Each structure stands twice: as structure tokens, then as C-alpha cells.
Amino acid sequence: MAAIVTDPPYGIAYQTGRRKVMSTPDMLANDSEAPLWSVPLMYEAVADGGALYLCTRFDVAPIWQQALTNTGATLKTPIVWDKGNWTSGDLTGDYANQCELILFAHKGRHTLKDGRPSNLWRVPRDPAGEHPTPKPVALMSRCIHNSVNKGGVVLDPFMGSGSTGVAAIREGCHFIGIELEPKYFDISCRRIEAEDNQLSIFDFI
């Protein structure tokens, strides 16, 4: 596996603030506890010299960082994702957060393809839909583009809405996805299949 690019449950029991006007569930499925047990498995799956990209939030990032360190992964500078807007929260006693983190780690020595890019990525956030917290394809594409050569294999063990799979196809990579929740699995399969079919059509033009 050349890289793992994933958005695991944060373990924060996320609830969408727009549930009254949307058909999404009140709580993000399987988000009641951070699945730290998965970190050793991810580290084992990635090839020597491969990269791991894990999306998270500032308040739970330390436990994910510790789990990565415990496996022997080399933690590098985290990526700050500027979403361009912010979610609800304490409206008078806190700052409005419009950023999330992507933890970046190596197994062995890993070399980025295009030198040393900035760790501040401005990528507009996707609106909630069939999945309450979809990651933008452009965000996952950037991870893959920087760390995986064409034809390489990308794994996402928490596939969610399938953004990593779509991004892998666009980057000319092979993709393996795992998703526990049947609803999200079906969403991912539809999106990835549609992307693959679209690219296959253009191959013959």
C-alpha cells in the first residue's frame, strides 16, 4: 500500500446542526468512540516508505498522534485544512473554528513528489448531504497527488462518502476502501463507480 488516506470517526459523537431540514441521521454513524485500535493495522498495511494521512480535529488530534507514535510511525508537520467557513458552537465565548487537521506520518522514509509544499490548504468544504460530513475530493486528491505515483495503491479503511476513492481514480491510482456502515458503503460505491465510468468514457474519445 503506497498510502493510507482516511477520515476516521473523530470519537466526538458528531451531530449535524441541520438535522431538521435534512434527511441525514442525528448522529454520524460509529462516531461514539475514536477507533484507535485501527492505527496498528493501518501502519502494518502501508508499505515501507509509504505515507499516512488521517483527518481529525484539534481536540482529539493528540490521541491519534500518540497512537501513530506508538506504532513506530514518524509524525511530520500536520496539514491545516482551511474549510472557508465554520460550524456552530459557543457563539459568545469561543472563536469560530474553520480549520481541521490532517495528521501526516511516514512508515520509514517518505519523499513528497513535488518538493516541500505549504501545510496550509484552502479547500472549500462540501455541504452535508447523504453523508453528514463529506470530505472534498480535492482535499483527498492533494494528499494522494503529493505521495502516490500513478498506478500506486491507496487504502481508505473508513471510506465514508467515498471521496478518497474518487480522488484515487482521478489521480490514476488503484483504490481499496472499507466501510462498516451499509448506507455509506452504498453511497461510496455509487460515487466511485460513476467516476470510473466517466473516465472510461473519456479514454475512448
Side-chain angles (χ1 to χ4, degrees):
M1 216 70 62
I4 291 175
V5 180
T6 191
D7 178 26
Y10 294 176
I12 58 174
Y14 172 83
Q15 289 184 311
T16 174
R18 302 177 63 192
R19 57 188 177 275
K20 292 182 181 179
V21 296
M22 296 174 60
S23 60
T24 51
D26 281 5
M27 185 178 292
L28 180 62
N30 306 310
D31 191 38
S32 58
E33 185 177 352
L36 301 177
W37 53 265
S38 66
V39 176
L41 299 175
M42 288 190 277
Y43 184 75
E44 182 179 351
V46 75
D48 188 49
L52 296 95
Y53 291 87
L54 275 70
C55 299
T56 189
R57 202 172 71 173
F58 74 95
D59 49 345
V60 291
I63 62 174
W64 287 100
Q65 291 173 312
Q66 187 62 57
L68 285 164
T69 300
N70 289 345
T71 66
T74 302
L75 280 175
K76 307 298 283 190
T77 302
I79 296 156
V80 179
W81 171 34
D82 178 356
K83 300 182 288 185
N85 63 3
W86 52 84
T87 55
S88 59
D90 185 344
L91 300 181
T92 57
D94 197 6
Y95 292 96
N97 179 36
Q98 67 178 54
C99 297
E100 291 187 28
L101 297 177
I102 303 176
L103 301 182
F104 174 48
H106 296 178
K107 182 176 181 178
R109 176 62 179 168
H110 176 75
T111 303
L112 295 171
K113 287 163 52 181
D114 296 330
R116 192 186 189 205
S118 169
N119 76 323
L120 178 59
W121 295 1
R122 294 183 175 90
V123 179
R125 177 186 180 190
D126 281 353
E130 291 183 287
H131 190 284
T133 59
K135 287 296 184 290
V137 171
L139 185 71
M140 304 319 226
S141 288
R142 193 173 295 191
C143 299
I144 296 169
H145 177 81
N146 289 344
S147 290
V148 185
N149 293 321
K150 290 187 182 298
V153 181
V154 178
L155 169 65
D156 185 353
F158 299 96
M159 192 163 52
S161 64
S163 295
T164 302
V166 174
I169 291 172
R170 291 183 182 178
E171 292 296 326
C173 298
H174 300 287
F175 176 69
I176 299 173
I178 303 169
E179 175 55 51
L180 179 65
E181 178 63 30
K183 177 181 178 180
Y184 302 157
F185 181 79
D186 290 342
I187 293 168
S188 295
C189 288
R190 290 201 309 270
R191 291 184 70 200
I192 293 168
E193 183 177 8
E195 184 69 24
D196 190 45
N197 288 341
Q198 182 175 0
L199 289 182
S200 297
I201 291 171
F202 287 123
D203 285 343
F204 293 98
I205 296 177

